[in-house]
Amino acid sequence: MSPARSRFVQIHGTDDNNSKNGRNCKLFLLVLYLLNGEKFKHQEDPCSKKPLGPESLLLRGARLKNTKEIFGVAVYTGMETKMALNYKSKSQKRSAVEKSMNTFLIIYLIILIAEAIISTILKYTWQAEEKWDEPWYNQKTEHQRNSSKILRFISDFLAFLVLYNFIIPISLYVTVEMQKFLGSFFIGWDLDLYHEESDQKAQVNTSDLNEELGQVEYVFTDKTGTLTENEMQFRECSINGIKYQEINGRLVSEGPSPDSSEGNLSYLSSLPHLNNLSHFTTSSSFGSSPENETELIKKHDLFFKAVSLCHTVQISSVQTDGIGDGPWQSNLAPSQLEYYASSPDEKALVEAAARIGVVFIGSSEETVEVKTLGKLERYKLLHVLEFDSDRRRMSVIVQAPSGEKFLFAKGAESSILPKCIGGEIEKTRIHVDEFALKGLRTLCMAYRQLTSKEYEEIDRRLFEARTALQQREEKLAHVFQFIEKDLILLGATAVEDRLQDKVRETIEALRMAGIKVWVLTGDKHETAVSVSLSCGHFHRTMNILELTNQKSDSDCAEQLRQLARRIKEDHVIQHGLVVDGTSLSLALREHEKLFMDVCRNCSAVLCCRMAPLQKAKVIRLIKVSPEKPITLAVGDGANDVSMIQEAHVGIGIMGKEGRQAARNSDYAIARFKFLSKLLFVHGHFYYIRIATLVQYFFYKNVCFITPQFLYQFYCLFSQQTLYDSVYLTLYNICFTSLPILTYSLLEQHIDPHVLQNKPTLYRDISKNRQLSIKTFLYWTILGFSHAFIFFFGSYFLMEKDISLLGNGQMFGNWTFGTLVFTVMVITVTVKMALETHFWTWVNHLVTWGSIIFYFVFSLFYGGILWPFLSSQNMYFVFIQLLSSGSAWFAIILMVVTCLFLDIVKKVFDRLLHPTNTEKAQLAETNSSIKCLDSMCCFSEGETVCASVGRMLERVIGRCSPTHVSRLWSASDPFCSNDRSILTLSTMESSTC
């Protein structure tokens, strides 16, 4: 057993250690844990918030009757975990940047092969003449003359491949991984993503997708716990067709009763008389007859007993130390009890029942205790039919102190009401709809009294299903359906879950950034729509379309066609779509294309009554659409894991439903509002940094190897290298690596406050624009042009047999190659400086330090280390080169020539075709920046010559970041050419 697993397999002693059932319980659950340990290590105990170990499984299996049931529940627990957490192993995610890198790499591989083939062909073409095939100074051996021409061709081709292989930037992948790993720490260090109340900071579980945060086109979000606080407050309920509100811990019926002159009377005032009917005063529509009073009290009593018994709530371990020794919490007030639950709804309901007077005291393996107005009642727990996403309900079977057996069921109204044959069904349905319109979360309560014969049949069937070796899941589902029928409706509950802070602003910002937001929730249709309106997902001017309550494929197809026609005919700019789980299943079955056409034309989509697997299917549908958009999923619970894993980027909310979502996500944040900073700032920066990194690596390798290719034309394609082997090795490792790595970690081409306050700037980097073929070709052509200047500038300097040294000596082959290499190192480094907008002391150190290091190393290598080297090729070469004034002039001239054309292009691009980001940079400059951060930006009205002069000042260090003061506030207006999607009106601005 591994140490990690053995750490979890620690069973703490309980009071039933000496009992046979206790030992069997531990044995079975321990076996289950050992078989499924990897799954359980990703779950949490709702009480301790620690990984779920066997001791936690004991709590989950505590309500068991015998060893047979222990085995059944253990197996079912494993199935539940598999369904919730192991929906599907997440495939290796590849970002759009990685795909672009691979495409560019293939193109450069083709260039490499083409250069090798051209060189090989030209070599043999050149050697077709006898005087060049075997010159007098290089006679062939007999073996060379008799060797196969095909083998010689292949050998020469491979030799050229080795000579040019540096054009493939192998070090790019190492640098990218370093950038992703080191850059991910900035998310965790961002104080704007720190939530002080919960003491939670942002977490990065994978660093491979940082740049994908800047490419998101669809956001799929859960509602409860993601958009809302997941802090449930009991507000209203419906009991036996009468609506009640909780006011100051008292249940008050809505409106005056026909039989009560006092109007609203508290239900609490009637509870003390549950056992003394002669003193009962009704506040309902019942008549005053004793029969009606008795029926009313019985229904109210059963309703709150159902709330207190049908749940999975636990009491804190401190307060349950005495479990098994008698009345556990009989001496504690309801306010002193601390409940824990995996579902906040259950916790809110149990607490509400305790305030009313029916207090859940605790539970053990076989019993549950409640205290009704001070009277302790012990119920024998016979069976627990746990909640699952297919049934959408849970049930318990208990034996009352009087010996009667009851089935209590709790669940969504869509799963409870069809199973009911009695009670105020229609009135309760109306009340549930009213609750939902207020944005409240609803649950229905029902019961069924079981005879001894019915219970024996149920017990037998449950045992057979739970111990079945084949098709256990299907058999259990069938038995559950058999048990949960012929119910009597007791009523419904309504709890409120308030929105998180700044949810509306975040959703509006996402929409302005061009991101479509879909809300996927399991809530009732009316509740989901109400919350969508309140959080800004839907707004009042939006045309809301509905695809709900579809019963057949034909009806669903016809409804989709009608919606498509309405979208085409309506002149409303924005549409919203509401679809429920049943209709979605029909739409995805045979009408995916039609459904997608409708969704594409909707600004916001709300999917309600969704099962966890349906959420994942919806995301997959969008992922595989022809546009292949980048998707992001946000959730907070275990039921959101499949959705989070299916999306390109998964965001887990560290909420109150454990840490399953956070652990299975790529990134974890404490609040939904942090999503805007994560995407608009970190995503924007990461994408710009890595896009420039990728393009720059290909550019500098083209600059590096193209002179080597050109040199072959002047050495008869003899495969003579232009550079010394040490320079070949250190070019990508030492001389040019640190500036681009520092840039990829620290670059901020625009102030973060500007990016967050202007979400429309996110559109400038969408669709992987910075890594488009057009941009790639520009960088590649730029590299070739610079390489031509390096090579032919140096060649024209030395082409005449003229001495450039005072002593009359001539430059040789290695001096020529060193001159080309020196110009290249300086040019590609200064090119990186031109791309840098945000200068820190680290940027200055690595940029100018790289050039200084190259000069120091070359002097040291050629002037000091030469006695210890096997080759003396570079002896005093660099010192001799630098002793020539002509060489210095040539170096400066070639560097300026290379970069001048690039600077001019950038300046005219900003003049003629500025992007929104460049406009924002200009606005930022005009408003508060004294010395422009970018070398290639210019102020309005400034001449190009002045701009270039200021750039040169920046290069020589006269412009310092200490002179830059950025003052951007959240109140700064957007650019006038931006349009608010919500208001459809232009925004005034004096700066843009």
PDB file of all heavy atoms in Angstrom, residues 654-682:
ATOM      1  N   MET A 654     -14.286  28.142  -5.193  1.00  0.00           N
ATOM      2  CA  MET A 654     -14.052  27.577  -3.861  1.00  0.00           C
ATOM      3  C   MET A 654     -15.172  28.047  -2.937  1.00  0.00           C
ATOM      4  O   MET A 654     -15.022  28.998  -2.167  1.00  0.00           O
ATOM      5  CB  MET A 654     -12.681  28.012  -3.347  1.00  0.00           C
ATOM      6  CG  MET A 654     -11.533  27.453  -4.163  1.00  0.00           C
ATOM      7  SD  MET A 654      -9.905  28.010  -3.628  1.00  0.00           S
ATOM      8  CE  MET A 654      -9.902  29.681  -4.258  1.00  0.00           C
ATOM      9  N   GLY A 655     -16.314  27.366  -3.062  1.00  0.00           N
ATOM     10  CA  GLY A 655     -17.499  27.781  -2.329  1.00  0.00           C
ATOM     11  C   GLY A 655     -17.775  26.903  -1.142  1.00  0.00           C
ATOM     12  O   GLY A 655     -16.864  26.432  -0.454  1.00  0.00           O
ATOM     13  N   LYS A 656     -19.054  26.626  -0.920  1.00  0.00           N
ATOM     14  CA  LYS A 656     -19.489  25.917   0.283  1.00  0.00           C
ATOM     15  C   LYS A 656     -19.923  24.492  -0.007  1.00  0.00           C
ATOM     16  O   LYS A 656     -20.530  23.851   0.838  1.00  0.00           O
ATOM     17  CB  LYS A 656     -20.639  26.688   0.950  1.00  0.00           C
ATOM     18  CG  LYS A 656     -20.232  28.089   1.394  1.00  0.00           C
ATOM     19  CD  LYS A 656     -21.390  28.837   1.976  1.00  0.00           C
ATOM     20  CE  LYS A 656     -20.948  30.191   2.508  1.00  0.00           C
ATOM     21  NZ  LYS A 656     -20.409  31.052   1.438  1.00  0.00           N
ATOM     22  N   GLU A 657     -19.641  23.996  -1.204  1.00  0.00           N
ATOM     23  CA  GLU A 657     -20.001  22.621  -1.559  1.00  0.00           C
ATOM     24  C   GLU A 657     -18.770  21.754  -1.686  1.00  0.00           C
ATOM     25  O   GLU A 657     -18.684  20.887  -2.545  1.00  0.00           O
ATOM     26  CB  GLU A 657     -20.802  22.602  -2.863  1.00  0.00           C
ATOM     27  CG  GLU A 657     -22.184  23.211  -2.736  1.00  0.00           C
ATOM     28  CD  GLU A 657     -23.049  22.941  -3.951  1.00  0.00           C
ATOM     29  OE1 GLU A 657     -22.695  22.040  -4.738  1.00  0.00           O
ATOM     30  OE2 GLU A 657     -24.071  23.619  -4.119  1.00  0.00           O
ATOM     31  N   GLY A 658     -17.775  21.997  -0.837  1.00  0.00           N
ATOM     32  CA  GLY A 658     -16.564  21.191  -0.886  1.00  0.00           C
ATOM     33  C   GLY A 658     -15.578  21.731  -1.903  1.00  0.00           C
ATOM     34  O   GLY A 658     -15.722  22.835  -2.423  1.00  0.00           O
ATOM     35  N   ARG A 659     -14.573  20.923  -2.206  1.00  0.00           N
ATOM     36  CA  ARG A 659     -13.508  21.347  -3.097  1.00  0.00           C
ATOM     37  C   ARG A 659     -13.383  20.449  -4.333  1.00  0.00           C
ATOM     38  O   ARG A 659     -12.366  20.441  -4.996  1.00  0.00           O
ATOM     39  CB  ARG A 659     -12.175  21.359  -2.351  1.00  0.00           C
ATOM     40  CG  ARG A 659     -12.079  22.424  -1.271  1.00  0.00           C
ATOM     41  CD  ARG A 659     -12.074  23.816  -1.876  1.00  0.00           C
ATOM     42  NE  ARG A 659     -11.934  24.858  -0.857  1.00  0.00           N
ATOM     43  CZ  ARG A 659     -12.952  25.460  -0.299  1.00  0.00           C
ATOM     44  NH1 ARG A 659     -14.197  25.108  -0.635  1.00  0.00           N
ATOM     45  NH2 ARG A 659     -12.764  26.404   0.611  1.00  0.00           N
ATOM     46  N   GLN A 660     -14.433  19.679  -4.636  1.00  0.00           N
ATOM     47  CA  GLN A 660     -14.339  18.798  -5.792  1.00  0.00           C
ATOM     48  C   GLN A 660     -14.137  19.583  -7.081  1.00  0.00           C
ATOM     49  O   GLN A 660     -13.292  19.247  -7.906  1.00  0.00           O
ATOM     50  CB  GLN A 660     -15.600  17.920  -5.914  1.00  0.00           C
ATOM     51  CG  GLN A 660     -15.732  16.878  -4.825  1.00  0.00           C
ATOM     52  CD  GLN A 660     -16.548  17.382  -3.660  1.00  0.00           C
ATOM     53  OE1 GLN A 660     -16.609  18.584  -3.414  1.00  0.00           O
ATOM     54  NE2 GLN A 660     -17.182  16.476  -2.933  1.00  0.00           N
ATOM     55  N   ALA A 661     -14.916  20.641  -7.262  1.00  0.00           N
ATOM     56  CA  ALA A 661     -14.803  21.442  -8.475  1.00  0.00           C
ATOM     57  C   ALA A 661     -13.450  22.134  -8.543  1.00  0.00           C
ATOM     58  O   ALA A 661     -12.803  22.164  -9.592  1.00  0.00           O
ATOM     59  CB  ALA A 661     -15.937  22.474  -8.529  1.00  0.00           C
ATOM     60  N   ALA A 662     -12.997  22.684  -7.415  1.00  0.00           N
ATOM     61  CA  ALA A 662     -11.709  23.388  -7.402  1.00  0.00           C
ATOM     62  C   ALA A 662     -10.560  22.432  -7.701  1.00  0.00           C
ATOM     63  O   ALA A 662      -9.608  22.795  -8.391  1.00  0.00           O
ATOM     64  CB  ALA A 662     -11.501  24.068  -6.051  1.00  0.00           C
ATOM     65  N   ARG A 663     -10.652  21.212  -7.203  1.00  0.00           N
ATOM     66  CA  ARG A 663      -9.564  20.256  -7.417  1.00  0.00           C
ATOM     67  C   ARG A 663      -9.539  19.713  -8.836  1.00  0.00           C
ATOM     68  O   ARG A 663      -8.475  19.349  -9.340  1.00  0.00           O
ATOM     69  CB  ARG A 663      -9.704  19.091  -6.428  1.00  0.00           C
ATOM     70  CG  ARG A 663      -9.378  19.461  -4.989  1.00  0.00           C
ATOM     71  CD  ARG A 663      -9.634  18.293  -4.066  1.00  0.00           C
ATOM     72  NE  ARG A 663      -9.279  18.618  -2.688  1.00  0.00           N
ATOM     73  CZ  ARG A 663      -9.490  17.823  -1.663  1.00  0.00           C
ATOM     74  NH1 ARG A 663     -10.068  16.652  -1.858  1.00  0.00           N
ATOM     75  NH2 ARG A 663      -9.134  18.176  -0.445  1.00  0.00           N
ATOM     76  N   ASN A 664     -10.669  19.636  -9.460  1.00  0.00           N
ATOM     77  CA  ASN A 664     -10.732  19.085 -10.814  1.00  0.00           C
ATOM     78  C   ASN A 664     -10.659  20.165 -11.884  1.00  0.00           C
ATOM     79  O   ASN A 664     -10.781  19.853 -13.065  1.00  0.00           O
ATOM     80  CB  ASN A 664     -12.023  18.282 -10.992  1.00  0.00           C
ATOM     81  CG  ASN A 664     -11.986  16.949 -10.266  1.00  0.00           C
ATOM     82  OD1 ASN A 664     -11.497  15.962 -10.775  1.00  0.00           O
ATOM     83  ND2 ASN A 664     -12.480  16.943  -9.034  1.00  0.00           N
ATOM     84  N   SER A 665     -10.489  21.398 -11.490  1.00  0.00           N
ATOM     85  CA  SER A 665     -10.469  22.500 -12.448  1.00  0.00           C
ATOM     86  C   SER A 665      -9.035  22.861 -12.811  1.00  0.00           C
ATOM     87  O   SER A 665      -8.071  22.388 -12.204  1.00  0.00           O
ATOM     88  CB  SER A 665     -11.178  23.720 -11.854  1.00  0.00           C
ATOM     89  OG  SER A 665     -10.488  24.175 -10.698  1.00  0.00           O
ATOM     90  N   ASP A 666      -8.906  23.718 -13.818  1.00  0.00           N
ATOM     91  CA  ASP A 666      -7.592  24.240 -14.199  1.00  0.00           C
ATOM     92  C   ASP A 666      -7.199  25.417 -13.319  1.00  0.00           C
ATOM     93  O   ASP A 666      -6.020  25.600 -13.005  1.00  0.00           O
ATOM     94  CB  ASP A 666      -7.612  24.668 -15.669  1.00  0.00           C
ATOM     95  CG  ASP A 666      -7.980  23.521 -16.592  1.00  0.00           C
ATOM     96  OD1 ASP A 666      -7.328  22.471 -16.493  1.00  0.00           O
ATOM     97  OD2 ASP A 666      -8.935  23.654 -17.384  1.00  0.00           O
ATOM     98  N   TYR A 667      -8.200  26.212 -12.942  1.00  0.00           N
ATOM     99  CA  TYR A 667      -7.976  27.365 -12.068  1.00  0.00           C
ATOM    100  C   TYR A 667      -9.097  27.392 -11.037  1.00  0.00           C
ATOM    101  O   TYR A 667     -10.225  26.971 -11.327  1.00  0.00           O
ATOM    102  CB  TYR A 667      -7.969  28.683 -12.853  1.00  0.00           C
ATOM    103  CG  TYR A 667      -6.951  28.712 -13.972  1.00  0.00           C
ATOM    104  CD1 TYR A 667      -7.281  28.273 -15.242  1.00  0.00           C
ATOM    105  CD2 TYR A 667      -5.657  29.167 -13.743  1.00  0.00           C
ATOM    106  CE1 TYR A 667      -6.346  28.272 -16.258  1.00  0.00           C
ATOM    107  CE2 TYR A 667      -4.719  29.183 -14.760  1.00  0.00           C
ATOM    108  CZ  TYR A 667      -5.069  28.728 -16.015  1.00  0.00           C
ATOM    109  OH  TYR A 667      -4.142  28.736 -17.015  1.00  0.00           O
ATOM    110  N   ALA A 668      -8.786  27.887  -9.858  1.00  0.00           N
ATOM    111  CA  ALA A 668      -9.795  27.986  -8.797  1.00  0.00           C
ATOM    112  C   ALA A 668      -9.779  29.398  -8.233  1.00  0.00           C
ATOM    113  O   ALA A 668      -8.710  29.936  -7.925  1.00  0.00           O
ATOM    114  CB  ALA A 668      -9.521  26.965  -7.688  1.00  0.00           C
ATOM    115  N   ILE A 669     -10.957  29.999  -8.139  1.00  0.00           N
ATOM    116  CA  ILE A 669     -11.104  31.341  -7.579  1.00  0.00           C
ATOM    117  C   ILE A 669     -12.205  31.310  -6.533  1.00  0.00           C
ATOM    118  O   ILE A 669     -13.014  30.380  -6.493  1.00  0.00           O
ATOM    119  CB  ILE A 669     -11.430  32.385  -8.673  1.00  0.00           C
ATOM    120  CG1 ILE A 669     -12.657  31.946  -9.487  1.00  0.00           C
ATOM    121  CG2 ILE A 669     -10.237  32.614  -9.581  1.00  0.00           C
ATOM    122  CD1 ILE A 669     -13.054  32.927 -10.574  1.00  0.00           C
ATOM    123  N   ALA A 670     -12.230  32.335  -5.693  1.00  0.00           N
ATOM    124  CA  ALA A 670     -13.176  32.333  -4.578  1.00  0.00           C
ATOM    125  C   ALA A 670     -14.521  32.923  -4.960  1.00  0.00           C
ATOM    126  O   ALA A 670     -15.536  32.575  -4.363  1.00  0.00           O
ATOM    127  CB  ALA A 670     -12.593  33.118  -3.396  1.00  0.00           C
ATOM    128  N   ARG A 671     -14.562  33.808  -5.943  1.00  0.00           N
ATOM    129  CA  ARG A 671     -15.808  34.472  -6.326  1.00  0.00           C
ATOM    130  C   ARG A 671     -15.888  34.623  -7.834  1.00  0.00           C
ATOM    131  O   ARG A 671     -14.882  34.728  -8.528  1.00  0.00           O
ATOM    132  CB  ARG A 671     -15.917  35.860  -5.667  1.00  0.00           C
ATOM    133  CG  ARG A 671     -16.223  35.837  -4.180  1.00  0.00           C
ATOM    134  CD  ARG A 671     -17.606  35.268  -3.920  1.00  0.00           C
ATOM    135  NE  ARG A 671     -17.973  35.294  -2.517  1.00  0.00           N
ATOM    136  CZ  ARG A 671     -17.757  34.294  -1.676  1.00  0.00           C
ATOM    137  NH1 ARG A 671     -17.107  33.216  -2.108  1.00  0.00           N
ATOM    138  NH2 ARG A 671     -18.148  34.360  -0.417  1.00  0.00           N
ATOM    139  N   PHE A 672     -17.122  34.644  -8.320  1.00  0.00           N
ATOM    140  CA  PHE A 672     -17.353  34.761  -9.761  1.00  0.00           C
ATOM    141  C   PHE A 672     -16.829  36.085 -10.300  1.00  0.00           C
ATOM    142  O   PHE A 672     -16.372  36.157 -11.444  1.00  0.00           O
ATOM    143  CB  PHE A 672     -18.858  34.633 -10.038  1.00  0.00           C
ATOM    144  CG  PHE A 672     -19.212  34.669 -11.499  1.00  0.00           C
ATOM    145  CD1 PHE A 672     -19.067  33.556 -12.298  1.00  0.00           C
ATOM    146  CD2 PHE A 672     -19.708  35.836 -12.069  1.00  0.00           C
ATOM    147  CE1 PHE A 672     -19.399  33.587 -13.641  1.00  0.00           C
ATOM    148  CE2 PHE A 672     -20.042  35.887 -13.411  1.00  0.00           C
ATOM    149  CZ  PHE A 672     -19.882  34.757 -14.198  1.00  0.00           C
ATOM    150  N   LYS A 673     -16.857  37.138  -9.494  1.00  0.00           N
ATOM    151  CA  LYS A 673     -16.440  38.462  -9.967  1.00  0.00           C
ATOM    152  C   LYS A 673     -14.961  38.484 -10.339  1.00  0.00           C
ATOM    153  O   LYS A 673     -14.529  39.333 -11.120  1.00  0.00           O
ATOM    154  CB  LYS A 673     -16.722  39.518  -8.906  1.00  0.00           C
ATOM    155  CG  LYS A 673     -15.904  39.357  -7.626  1.00  0.00           C
ATOM    156  CD  LYS A 673     -16.211  40.453  -6.609  1.00  0.00           C
ATOM    157  CE  LYS A 673     -15.388  40.278  -5.331  1.00  0.00           C
ATOM    158  NZ  LYS A 673     -15.690  41.334  -4.346  1.00  0.00           N
ATOM    159  N   PHE A 674     -14.173  37.565  -9.789  1.00  0.00           N
ATOM    160  CA  PHE A 674     -12.748  37.518 -10.116  1.00  0.00           C
ATOM    161  C   PHE A 674     -12.504  37.041 -11.542  1.00  0.00           C
ATOM    162  O   PHE A 674     -11.386  37.146 -12.051  1.00  0.00           O
ATOM    163  CB  PHE A 674     -12.006  36.601  -9.141  1.00  0.00           C
ATOM    164  CG  PHE A 674     -12.017  37.094  -7.724  1.00  0.00           C
ATOM    165  CD1 PHE A 674     -11.905  36.211  -6.660  1.00  0.00           C
ATOM    166  CD2 PHE A 674     -12.139  38.446  -7.439  1.00  0.00           C
ATOM    167  CE1 PHE A 674     -11.907  36.662  -5.352  1.00  0.00           C
ATOM    168  CE2 PHE A 674     -12.152  38.911  -6.126  1.00  0.00           C
ATOM    169  CZ  PHE A 674     -12.036  38.012  -5.087  1.00  0.00           C
ATOM    170  N   LEU A 675     -13.547  36.517 -12.177  1.00  0.00           N
ATOM    171  CA  LEU A 675     -13.387  36.018 -13.538  1.00  0.00           C
ATOM    172  C   LEU A 675     -12.991  37.132 -14.498  1.00  0.00           C
ATOM    173  O   LEU A 675     -12.230  36.902 -15.453  1.00  0.00           O
ATOM    174  CB  LEU A 675     -14.693  35.358 -13.995  1.00  0.00           C
ATOM    175  CG  LEU A 675     -14.654  34.574 -15.304  1.00  0.00           C
ATOM    176  CD1 LEU A 675     -13.686  33.410 -15.209  1.00  0.00           C
ATOM    177  CD2 LEU A 675     -16.049  34.058 -15.661  1.00  0.00           C
ATOM    178  N   SER A 676     -13.489  38.349 -14.278  1.00  0.00           N
ATOM    179  CA  SER A 676     -13.160  39.451 -15.181  1.00  0.00           C
ATOM    180  C   SER A 676     -11.677  39.779 -15.127  1.00  0.00           C
ATOM    181  O   SER A 676     -11.033  39.973 -16.171  1.00  0.00           O
ATOM    182  CB  SER A 676     -14.006  40.683 -14.834  1.00  0.00           C
ATOM    183  OG  SER A 676     -13.747  41.107 -13.508  1.00  0.00           O
ATOM    184  N   LYS A 677     -11.099  39.844 -13.943  1.00  0.00           N
ATOM    185  CA  LYS A 677      -9.657  40.115 -13.835  1.00  0.00           C
ATOM    186  C   LYS A 677      -8.850  38.960 -14.426  1.00  0.00           C
ATOM    187  O   LYS A 677      -7.832  39.161 -15.089  1.00  0.00           O
ATOM    188  CB  LYS A 677      -9.287  40.321 -12.366  1.00  0.00           C
ATOM    189  CG  LYS A 677      -7.791  40.571 -12.097  1.00  0.00           C
ATOM    190  CD  LYS A 677      -7.360  41.936 -12.553  1.00  0.00           C
ATOM    191  CE  LYS A 677      -5.888  42.233 -12.256  1.00  0.00           C
ATOM    192  NZ  LYS A 677      -5.593  42.411 -10.843  1.00  0.00           N
ATOM    193  N   LEU A 678      -9.318  37.759 -14.201  1.00  0.00           N
ATOM    194  CA  LEU A 678      -8.604  36.583 -14.694  1.00  0.00           C
ATOM    195  C   LEU A 678      -8.545  36.570 -16.220  1.00  0.00           C
ATOM    196  O   LEU A 678      -7.499  36.242 -16.809  1.00  0.00           O
ATOM    197  CB  LEU A 678      -9.282  35.314 -14.177  1.00  0.00           C
ATOM    198  CG  LEU A 678      -8.514  34.002 -14.327  1.00  0.00           C
ATOM    199  CD1 LEU A 678      -7.243  34.010 -13.504  1.00  0.00           C
ATOM    200  CD2 LEU A 678      -9.400  32.827 -13.908  1.00  0.00           C
ATOM    201  N   LEU A 679      -9.642  36.934 -16.876  1.00  0.00           N
ATOM    202  CA  LEU A 679      -9.692  36.899 -18.336  1.00  0.00           C
ATOM    203  C   LEU A 679      -9.132  38.171 -18.955  1.00  0.00           C
ATOM    204  O   LEU A 679      -8.246  38.117 -19.826  1.00  0.00           O
ATOM    205  CB  LEU A 679     -11.134  36.681 -18.812  1.00  0.00           C
ATOM    206  CG  LEU A 679     -11.815  35.376 -18.413  1.00  0.00           C
ATOM    207  CD1 LEU A 679     -13.192  35.291 -19.048  1.00  0.00           C
ATOM    208  CD2 LEU A 679     -10.983  34.178 -18.816  1.00  0.00           C
ATOM    209  N   PHE A 680      -9.644  39.314 -18.531  1.00  0.00           N
ATOM    210  CA  PHE A 680      -9.326  40.573 -19.211  1.00  0.00           C
ATOM    211  C   PHE A 680      -7.909  41.056 -18.947  1.00  0.00           C
ATOM    212  O   PHE A 680      -7.339  41.761 -19.780  1.00  0.00           O
ATOM    213  CB  PHE A 680     -10.322  41.663 -18.794  1.00  0.00           C
ATOM    214  CG  PHE A 680     -11.740  41.323 -19.097  1.00  0.00           C
ATOM    215  CD1 PHE A 680     -12.775  41.836 -18.326  1.00  0.00           C
ATOM    216  CD2 PHE A 680     -12.065  40.475 -20.132  1.00  0.00           C
ATOM    217  CE1 PHE A 680     -14.090  41.522 -18.600  1.00  0.00           C
ATOM    218  CE2 PHE A 680     -13.372  40.148 -20.412  1.00  0.00           C
ATOM    219  CZ  PHE A 680     -14.390  40.674 -19.648  1.00  0.00           C
ATOM    220  N   VAL A 681      -7.351  40.706 -17.809  1.00  0.00           N
ATOM    221  CA  VAL A 681      -5.998  41.171 -17.480  1.00  0.00           C
ATOM    222  C   VAL A 681      -4.992  40.034 -17.635  1.00  0.00           C
ATOM    223  O   VAL A 681      -4.119  40.080 -18.505  1.00  0.00           O
ATOM    224  CB  VAL A 681      -5.944  41.750 -16.053  1.00  0.00           C
ATOM    225  CG1 VAL A 681      -4.527  42.188 -15.707  1.00  0.00           C
ATOM    226  CG2 VAL A 681      -6.904  42.929 -15.936  1.00  0.00           C
ATOM    227  N   HIS A 682      -5.128  38.998 -16.810  1.00  0.00           N
ATOM    228  CA  HIS A 682      -4.161  37.907 -16.886  1.00  0.00           C
ATOM    229  C   HIS A 682      -4.237  37.192 -18.239  1.00  0.00           C
ATOM    230  O   HIS A 682      -3.194  36.890 -18.840  1.00  0.00           O
ATOM    231  CB  HIS A 682      -4.408  36.918 -15.750  1.00  0.00           C
ATOM    232  CG  HIS A 682      -4.036  37.437 -14.400  1.00  0.00           C
ATOM    233  ND1 HIS A 682      -2.733  37.558 -13.984  1.00  0.00           N
ATOM    234  CD2 HIS A 682      -4.805  37.905 -13.374  1.00  0.00           C
ATOM    235  CE1 HIS A 682      -2.701  38.056 -12.761  1.00  0.00           C
ATOM    236  NE2 HIS A 682      -3.940  38.275 -12.365  1.00  0.00           N
TER     237      HIS A 682
END
